[in-house]
Amino acid sequence: MNQLTLLEAGESLENVTLSPVSRLDLIKYAGASGDYNPIHTIDEEAIKAGLPGIIAHGMWTMGNLAKLFTPYYEEGFIQDYKIRFQGMVRLDDVITLQATLANKTDQHLHFDVAASNQEGKDVIKGTVVFSQYE
């Protein structure tokens, strides 16, 4: 039996805590994504834009949420992803990823997901639909 099948509504997957956000993480992501906006890599440009310093790409944070489901990819796949950005991720922030099962329907597991910083402030909230293989 699949591990996720045993989950009941209200139960959570194991949290994933990322390493502190580094400049190198953001430079690599800029290269991989093609998003070279300097607010993500150059302090002076971020400050000129009115930010407190460089900030992570929102999609970098969102993409990391998929790490919650990595242990379950033999059981299924992420079918749908809906996210709302709640706050900025800055250098050296430690982001914790969370997923709680909201409900199940046939082969679909609906999760509430969030990413929060070391202060417990949500930087992303959303939902993920995980579709289990039959």
Side-chain angles (χ1 to χ4, degrees):
M1 181 175 281
N2 293 335
Q3 291 178 350
L4 290 180
T5 304
L6 302 174
L7 273 182
E8 297 294 329
E11 294 182 325
S12 298
L13 299 181
E14 186 173 333
N15 288 353
V16 173
T17 300
L18 305 176
S19 298
V21 178
S22 72
R23 187 179 306 268
L24 184 57
D25 290 332
L26 303 183
I27 290 168
K28 285 182 189 178
Y29 186 81
S33 68
D35 181 351
Y36 295 104
N37 187 327
I39 67 169
H40 301 303
T41 55
I42 302 171
D43 296 298
E44 297 79 14
E45 293 299 319
I47 291 167
K48 266 200 276 187
L51 298 168
I54 67 172
I55 60 171
H57 306 73
M59 298 304 282
W60 176 87
T61 310
M62 183 179 126
N64 273 297
L65 278 172
K67 291 179 179 177
L68 288 161
F69 300 92
T70 301
Y72 310 105
Y73 284 149
E74 290 184 7
E75 298 179 31
F77 59 95
I78 294 173
Q79 178 179 329
D80 194 20
Y81 219 144
K82 292 182 183 164
I83 300 297
R84 182 178 258 335
F85 299 103
Q86 304 278 122
M88 291 184 277
V89 174
R90 304 194 51 208
L91 284 183
D92 299 319
D93 278 357
V94 175
I95 303 300
T96 300
L97 313 171
Q98 306 111 24
T100 302
L101 183 63
N103 63 65
K104 295 190 229 188
T105 57
D106 296 325
Q107 300 303 112
H108 298 98
L109 302 170
H110 300 258
F111 289 90
D112 293 324
V113 294
S116 56
N117 65 19
Q118 65 280 358
E119 297 166 0
K121 181 181 179 220
D122 287 334
V123 294
I124 283 182
K125 287 186 96 164
T127 59
V128 165
V129 176
F130 189 86
S131 182
Q132 293 184 294
Y133 300 127
E134 294 185 37

